Amino acid sequence: MKSTLKLLQETLGKPYEDLEFLLVALKEILIENGEEEMANQIPWIKFIPELEHQELTEKHVQLYSLVFQLVNMVEINGAVQNRRSLEDKDLSSVNGLWANNFKKLKDQGISEKDIAVRLKDIRVEPVLTAHPTEAKRATVLEHHRELYLLLVQRENSMYTGKEKDNIRHNIKQTLYRLWKTGEIFLEKPDVPSELRNIMHYLINVFPEVIPVLDRRMLQAWEDLGFDKQIIYDLEAWPKVSFGDWVGGDRDGHPLVTDEVTAETLKSLRLNAIVVIRRKLIDLIKHLSFTASSETVDKELKERLHELKNELGARGEEAYSRNRGEAFRQFINLVVTKLPVDTKRGHATEIMEYPGCYINSKELLADLKLLQKAMLAYGAKTIARDDIHSAIRAVETFGFYLAKVDVRQNSAFHDKAMQQLLEAAGFEKTDYPNWSEEERLAFLNEELKSNRPFTHQNTKLGPNAEAVVKCYRVLEAHIAKYDTAAIGSLIVSMTRSVSDLLAVYILAREAGLNIQTKEGLVCMLPVVPLLETIEDLENGPDIMKGFLSHPFTQRSIKYIQEKDETPMPVQQIMVGYSDSNKDGGIMASQWNLFKAQSRLYETGKQFEVKIRFFHGKGGSISRGAGPTHYFISALPHSTIAGDLRLTEQGETIAQKYANKVNAEYNIELLVASTAAKAVTSHFTERKPHPQADVLQKLADKSKSHYEKLMHEEGFIPFFRQATPIDAIETSKIGSRPAKRTGANSLEDLRAIPWVFSWSQSRFNMTSWYGIGSALKDLKDESPEQYEEFKKALKHDAFIRYVLTNVDTSLAATDEKIIKQYISLVKEDDVREKFGKMFLDELSLTREMLMDLLEKGIEERRRNHFYSNQLRASLMETLHKEQVMLLKKWREEKAKNDPAAEVTQVQLMLTINGIASAMRNTG
């Protein structure tokens, strides 16, 4: 083990020297606190011969889990340092960032004006979601952030020896706190604690990242010899905003009630105002310029007096501070106008009073007026930096921080419709069993009127009550403020036009439909989520029916006017998880690619811009992979400068836990989206040149994958050879692992499905079927195979999919798989599936080697060696997990109370392996 770390230090250098430093520091602090026995069990810094033979305790598993987190941390820091040194030599050398993308556009002959004009239309919205299997607590994340900052501080060569000793002391203390903080959720987290976790990023990380994003964009722009005045003249700043599913997403999540959604909206509003207030207080500190209210810009002078009068006594008090400093007086008034109550200088609760701002648009107008006055005053750099930063904060976070989406399943809506019809006394009420024709005839008739089925006090069935109560919360919020805080009403498992139109009827019950001069409209956008391969194939037909409906057309036109967009927008969410669970990775990725191309054409037909919302997960089979590769692999024109995508659970912590890495990841997202949109505008849209081959591979791999899934005995094999039963009973996320509680593959959520295969190191969801499909292609169509092999070098889509398969294979381990296979009791089932998996795995490795021509140790050294280091410790963890699974299942079968104790130990191994694998599905 010790030699493994030495090998990495010789091969990859500094990150693994940092790792040794942290491990030695951990050893010292454990000894200082009387835990010598555990200190001697720390891997990689000394040889531990008895590791193979000793019993693993909870403490061991917790130690390994912590050690893997330290590996992740030094590797992230190593990547940051590497990017810095590359950029120092050549700013455009780091793939996917502003300078790199601007250089590519310039090399294509696209002018700075053509780029700038399109930059201002870029709109990117990461949507933060809790993770059904998120395996880290917010407290632990806090300690991680502190440790990372200390690690960075240690690199500063200015410090004296004694100062460095002090940093080492602080690192040891933080390591000890991490050691003593329980890693595992002994109680299932509730939605408020999940909200607190994502709130951390929205309050403390992202507001700091946006100014850096803008500054780096300008630096890259100038570095290429472009004139930054164009950016200022056109206000060519890409729009970044955030979305939120925690407290809004109720698909299979009974804990998300109407009260939870109301509390979420309230909490987001308060914290948005806290973020903005912080920016404005900074402005007061910075704008200490001598300027009387008589000498400043006329408009500013008039607005100063207006604000003072609007705010009465509060206004007088704010105005009387900083006399002779008109800019400060203006900001004082603006801060006073924020709708919050402050105690000891901190905003503590929402408080609306006469004269206060109701929405952020009014505040934005005041800040733009201040910026104009500052330019007239001559302080150009301050107007473009300090005031620009405050304006961007308001544009990004508004008075809502992140837009809350409300998602529910179409089957749940069907039941809600049935219960509404029953409550309203209709004769025919079995709505879930109606044909699509019956449904459409009924909905078309009903959508002519704004008369609800029931009144407020009618007793409704549970589904109808849940939907209507939630929508009433949204309506109350909109009536008080506006629609800015609410994203959209998302229908998961959208199978038909009626699944979408039914939402308009449900919205009517809560007053979300209003009469305009054009007719009835819904104030909120209704969005399909196309998840399965079949739904993706039917997507264009569903959307044709929906977009041609007069109610939809009026509604999207109404939203267009309200949002001031150049054309109507229809958002469509595409799901990466269920399509993969359905047919394997190749079929999933190719069907997603085709569906997006066809849906773009559907939008064009109706003169509607399609905004794709990518429901990606944290694992390869659920759509993860490097952001810039993902974006460049999307079909031509489908991005249109407008991208929404989910950021899930542990990927949020990996990407955004520290600010430098957070800025890198946001820049990758925004700069790659901008480059893809600009390139699409200046290049011709053509079918994919390898479409026929990709279709063949998708069909073949899907049939191999389905054959496995439908083979007799597959479910017993899956339930015994993976820790799925332990994951289902775990306390990791607040959401149940199944949608309805049925014991079928269809009902199992895609996330625990992927998680259980990755825990047992099969990772089959991201490679099974690919090897056979490639071999069939090579045997049956050798010329096409050779063409495909050539395309791999330059085709973004093919490269993206196969790089992800490659990454997944690198984490798949035959030796460990065999240990899990041994858990299957029935001999025939164990032997049959063991052979199917191991044969396909061997074939997939062979075919990938043939395509890529080099082993992973040559192609991706960092990845290969990092996996080797992790593997040296993971074998022990897997061995322990297999033993505990066997023991726990036997105890459960006998109703032995000891099962509860075993389950806690089992959960620790799940956490330790998840830390090592860097994802939980």
Side-chain angles (χ1 to χ4, degrees):
M1 249 192 199
K2 191 174 179 185
S3 60
T4 310
L5 182 59
K6 281 280 167 274
L7 173 70
L8 264 77
Q9 288 173 344
E10 285 158 20
T11 319
L12 302 174
K14 188 173 175 307
Y16 302 96
E17 286 156 20
D18 287 348
L19 177 63
E20 186 171 5
F21 167 85
L22 289 174
L23 294 176
V24 170
L26 177 62
K27 183 176 182 176
E28 286 172 16
I29 195 75
L30 289 182
I31 291 170
E32 285 166 34
N33 283 287
E35 296 196 52
E36 197 158 338
E37 194 187 332
M38 285 319 295
N40 287 324
Q41 298 293 319
I42 295 172
W44 302 322
I45 50 174
K46 70 176 279 243
F47 182 59
I48 312 172
E50 69 280 13
L51 196 61
E52 280 294 297
H53 312 290
Q54 65 186 13
E55 189 193 341
L56 269 191
T57 64
E58 283 183 38
K59 284 234 161 141
H60 282 95
V61 181
Q62 193 181 334
L63 176 69
Y64 297 168
S65 186
L66 172 56
V67 163
F68 285 130
Q69 286 157 28
L70 299 181
V71 176
N72 293 345
M73 190 176 289
V74 297
E75 287 178 349
I76 284 175
N77 189 40
V80 168
Q81 302 301 345
N82 184 41
R83 288 195 297 271
R84 280 185 167 143
S85 67
L86 285 172
E87 286 197 335
D88 209 26
K89 297 185 192 97
D90 174 7
L91 194 59
S92 65
S93 62
V94 180
N95 204 353
L97 298 182
W98 280 125
N100 175 267
N101 279 308
F102 286 156
K103 184 175 187 302
K104 283 180 189 163
L105 296 173
K106 188 181 180 180
D107 291 349
Q108 287 173 50
I110 301 169
S111 74
E112 58 186 324
K113 178 86 186 289
D114 281 331
I115 299 170
V117 161
R118 282 162 190 86
L119 276 179
K120 67 195 241 298
D121 294 329
I122 301 300
R123 189 193 131 133
V124 173
E125 190 167 284
V127 179
L128 307 184
T129 76
H131 195 287
T133 50
E134 163 65 289
K136 268 195 204 44
R137 292 172 51 195
T139 316
V140 172
L141 294 172
E142 284 296 337
H143 295 322
H144 279 203
R145 288 174 199 116
E146 197 176 326
L147 184 59
Y148 183 85
L149 291 174
L150 288 164
L151 196 61
V152 172
Q153 220 178 338
R154 186 178 159 256
E155 318 234 335
N156 193 327
S157 53
M158 280 169 41
Y159 290 120
T160 65
K162 282 281 168 273
E163 284 172 321
K164 283 186 176 163
D165 289 347
N166 191 39
I167 293 169
R168 185 189 174 92
H169 168 83
N170 291 340
I171 284 175
K172 283 163 67 173
Q173 293 300 97
T174 309
L175 283 168
Y176 190 65
R177 281 183 212 115
L178 263 172
W179 169 244
K180 293 308 256 187
T181 304
E183 248 290 291
I184 190 164
F185 278 116
L186 295 171
E187 289 304 319
K188 234 172 168 24
D190 55 3
V191 179
S193 68
E194 289 178 333
L195 185 65
R196 272 195 302 280
N197 188 4
I198 69 151
M199 206 72 100
H200 169 87
Y201 300 95
L202 291 164
I203 298 167
N204 302 313
V205 179
F206 298 133
E208 305 297 312
V209 160
I210 304 297
V212 184
L213 178 78
D214 286 355
R215 207 163 297 137
R216 281 181 53 86
M217 185 181 101
L218 274 181
Q219 285 171 336
W221 190 259
E222 288 187 290
D223 196 62
L224 280 157
F226 291 163
D227 179 6
K228 70 176 177 186
Q229 192 57 43
I230 292 182
I231 299 285
Y232 292 121
D233 291 347
L234 292 172
E235 292 190 4
W237 307 103
K239 304 274 181 297
V240 181
S241 51
F242 296 89
D244 165 50
W245 272 24
V246 181
D249 177 20
R250 53 235 317 121
D251 178 10
H253 200 332
L255 298 176
V256 182
T257 59
D258 53 305
E259 287 103 335
V260 165
T261 302
E263 202 45 53
T264 301
L265 287 166
K266 192 173 151 192
S267 183
L268 286 166
R269 183 173 174 86
L270 173 64
N271 284 292
I273 296 166
V274 166
V275 165
I276 285 165
R277 190 173 180 278
R278 205 186 289 159
K279 290 278 180 197
L280 296 175
I281 298 292
D282 280 348
L283 264 190
I284 294 175
K285 289 177 196 158
H286 293 164
L287 299 187
S288 53
F289 301 168
T290 306
S292 81
S293 56
E294 297 308 310
T295 58
V296 294
D297 179 85
K298 179 170 170 284
E299 273 184 84
L300 188 80
K301 178 182 159 185
E302 284 171 9
R303 184 64 181 142
L304 253 175
H305 293 295
E306 239 173 69
L307 286 171
K308 186 178 74 169
N309 296 336
E310 282 171 10
L311 293 164
R314 290 166 187 266
E316 286 293 346
E317 199 268 326
Y319 185 76
S320 66
R321 296 197 294 271
N322 312 107
R323 288 200 179 279
E325 296 175 348
F327 299 119
R328 265 185 166 171
Q329 286 177 303
F330 186 80
I331 294 291
N332 281 334
L333 286 161
V334 164
V335 169
T336 306
K337 205 172 158 64
L338 291 173
V340 281
D341 190 17
T342 52
K343 300 236 177 4
R344 291 184 295 284
H346 293 284
T348 53
E349 62 178 327
I350 300 222
M351 188 176 82
E352 275 108 15
Y353 53 85
C356 75
Y357 292 118
I358 297 299
N359 62 47
S360 56
K361 277 185 183 164
E362 307 159 282
L363 168 59
L364 196 56
D366 281 339
L367 289 174
K368 289 197 166 172
L369 182 66
L370 174 67
Q371 189 179 42
K372 186 169 158 256
M374 191 57 81
L375 286 166
Y377 174 80
K380 197 196 280 189
T381 56
I382 299 292
R384 287 176 174 177
D385 198 305
D386 297 2
I387 300 174
H388 168 78
S389 178
I391 287 172
R392 286 287 272 169
V394 178
E395 285 176 339
T396 303
F397 302 103
F399 280 180
Y400 47 82
L401 209 56
K403 292 171 180 290
V404 178
D405 282 339
V406 169
R407 178 175 77 140
Q408 186 51 279
N409 200 297
S410 58
F412 193 96
H413 284 161
D414 285 354
K415 287 184 187 143
M417 285 292 290
Q418 175 175 351
Q419 291 159 13
L420 277 173
L421 296 177
E422 285 167 357
F426 276 73
E427 266 178 50
K428 194 172 178 209
T429 59
D430 60 337
Y431 184 83
N433 301 320
W434 293 5
S435 68
E436 181 66 1
E437 290 68 31
E438 281 179 282
R439 289 181 182 209
L440 287 175
F442 174 76
L443 294 168
N444 288 339
E445 197 51 45
E446 281 299 324
L447 286 171
K448 291 174 184 169
S449 143
N450 204 17
R451 178 202 67 254
F453 287 131
T454 59
H455 58 75
Q456 282 221 301
N457 302 326
T458 309
K459 182 86 184 83
L460 300 174
N463 300 62
E465 184 179 30
V467 174
V468 173
K469 273 186 160 179
C470 164
Y471 285 5
R472 281 187 183 141
V473 164
L474 305 183
E475 194 281 328
H477 187 92
I478 293 167
K480 197 168 181 185
Y481 307 118
D482 53 22
T483 54
I486 298 154
S488 48
L489 306 173
I490 299 174
V491 185
S492 51
M493 292 295 171
T494 296
R495 300 278 156 84
S496 61
V497 180
S498 66
D499 287 344
L500 298 172
L501 295 177
V503 178
Y504 288 144
I505 296 290
L506 295 165
R508 184 179 76 178
E509 273 327 273
L512 285 171
N513 295 353
I514 55 168
Q515 189 72 46
T516 67
K517 59 179 191 295
E518 271 73 39
L520 276 173
V521 301
C522 181
M523 292 189 277
L524 295 173
V526 172
V527 171
L529 165 46
L530 305 170
E531 297 178 80
T532 65
I533 289 176
E534 191 185 346
D535 296 343
L536 287 165
E537 283 172 355
N538 296 336
D541 288 338
I542 296 171
M543 290 320 292
K544 277 174 193 162
F546 186 57
L547 290 173
S548 61
H549 199 283
F551 199 98
T552 308
Q553 290 181 341
R554 287 195 303 271
S555 297
I556 59 176
K557 188 90 183 113
Y558 164 81
I559 293 166
Q560 177 199 355
E561 285 164 12
K562 183 175 58 65
D563 292 349
E564 298 173 355
T565 54
M567 63 194 291
V569 175
Q570 172 62 48
Q571 191 183 135
I572 298 175
M573 185 169 182
V574 287
Y576 287 68
S577 313
D578 282 279
S579 56
N580 179 272
K581 190 175 142 218
D582 257 13
I585 191 163
M586 194 77 209
S588 163
Q589 292 286 347
W590 179 237
N591 279 291
L592 280 156
F593 186 95
K594 283 195 309 182
Q596 287 171 66
S597 292
R598 291 172 61 218
L599 288 162
Y600 163 79
E601 293 295 347
T602 306
K604 219 165 115 179
Q605 189 184 328
F606 289 94
E607 295 180 355
V608 169
K609 177 179 180 173
I610 302 293
R611 170 180 300 143
F612 285 103
F613 178 11
H614 300 270
K616 292 162 81 249
S619 61
I620 296 294
S621 54
R622 298 186 45 253
T627 302
H628 45 308
Y629 291 165
F630 164 71
I631 290 170
S632 66
L634 291 172
H636 192 288
S637 307
T638 56
I639 228 169
D642 198 334
L643 180 77
R644 247 188 143 218
L645 80 175
T646 52
E647 293 283 22
Q648 292 201 336
E650 82 284 17
T651 47
I652 299 176
Q654 282 168 20
K655 288 181 175 180
Y656 305 119
N658 67 73
K659 286 168 193 168
V660 180
N661 211 38
E663 196 288 325
Y664 166 70
N665 280 296
I666 290 284
E667 185 177 334
L668 268 186
L669 195 54
V670 182
S672 301
T673 301
K676 179 82 176 178
V678 175
T679 306
S680 286
H681 189 84
F682 288 97
T683 51
E684 193 189 338
R685 178 172 153 76
K686 296 177 189 151
H688 194 289
Q690 293 286 318
D692 292 350
V693 177
L694 286 163
Q695 188 62 53
K696 260 187 202 172
L697 288 172
D699 292 343
K700 280 281 170 83
S701 64
K702 182 170 184 263
S703 77
H704 287 293
Y705 181 89
E706 284 175 341
K707 182 178 182 300
L708 171 82
M709 301 266 279
H710 297 136
E711 186 71 38
E712 187 157 343
F714 177 74
I715 290 190
F717 178 86
F718 164 60
R719 297 203 70 83
Q720 291 176 67
T722 75
I724 181 64
D725 45 351
I727 289 163
E728 285 172 345
T729 54
S730 77
K731 306 284 175 68
I732 300 180
S734 72
R735 177 202 291 281
K738 299 178 194 166
R739 280 195 159 100
T740 65
N743 211 356
S744 67
L745 273 189
E746 287 70 36
D747 199 63
L748 183 72
R749 287 184 173 281
I751 296 172
W753 161 254
V754 172
F755 190 15
S756 49
W757 288 115
S758 77
Q759 280 278 314
S760 47
R761 299 298 287 285
F762 283 80
N763 293 311
M764 62 77 86
T765 53
S766 39
W767 57 261
Y768 197 92
I770 292 263
S772 292
L774 286 167
K775 182 156 190 338
D776 291 349
L777 181 70
K778 189 178 182 181
D779 293 348
E780 293 162 19
S781 317
E783 284 170 15
Q784 279 191 324
Y785 179 80
E786 284 308 314
E787 281 300 309
F788 182 76
K789 192 170 175 175
K790 277 186 210 145
L792 175 58
K793 293 186 170 59
H794 58 82
D795 185 278
F797 175 75
I798 296 173
R799 200 176 61 220
Y800 172 69
V801 177
L802 288 186
T803 302
N804 284 343
V805 172
D806 185 37
T807 303
S808 195
L809 286 174
T812 304
D813 189 313
E814 288 88 331
K815 197 169 144 197
I816 290 168
I817 289 174
K818 285 174 184 168
Q819 292 178 34
Y820 285 88
I821 291 174
S822 74
L823 287 167
V824 181
K825 289 179 180 163
E826 302 81 1
D827 293 350
D828 55 336
V829 172
R830 184 175 63 246
E831 280 159 25
K832 174 169 69 171
F833 286 101
K835 184 172 174 5
M836 284 178 85
F837 275 109
L838 294 169
D839 287 355
E840 182 65 22
L841 177 58
S842 163
L843 180 60
T844 308
R845 288 198 197 282
E846 187 190 314
M847 294 311 300
L848 235 68
M849 188 68 183
D850 187 64
L851 279 176
L852 299 165
E853 295 178 336
K854 281 183 193 158
I856 192 161
E857 65 279 12
E858 276 184 81
R859 287 179 287 106
R860 300 167 73 187
R861 282 174 71 224
N862 291 27
H863 195 85
F864 174 75
Y865 283 108
S866 171
N867 277 355
Q868 280 217 317
L869 181 72
R870 291 160 197 272
S872 63
L873 189 52
M874 282 174 78
E875 275 182 40
T876 318
L877 275 174
H878 284 294
K879 213 172 189 173
E880 181 74 359
Q881 189 178 85
V882 168
M883 184 276 290
L884 287 168
L885 269 170
K886 196 170 181 209
K887 181 172 178 240
W888 178 63
R889 286 167 181 169
E890 284 165 5
E891 287 167 350
K892 270 201 321 177
K894 291 188 283 195
N895 287 326
D896 185 339
E900 278 197 36
V901 180
T902 309
Q903 190 185 348
V904 172
Q905 294 171 316
L906 192 50
M907 285 315 301
L908 278 163
T909 64
I910 286 176
N911 246 26
I913 292 167
S915 292
M917 303 283 293
R918 289 169 280 196
N919 78 59
T920 55

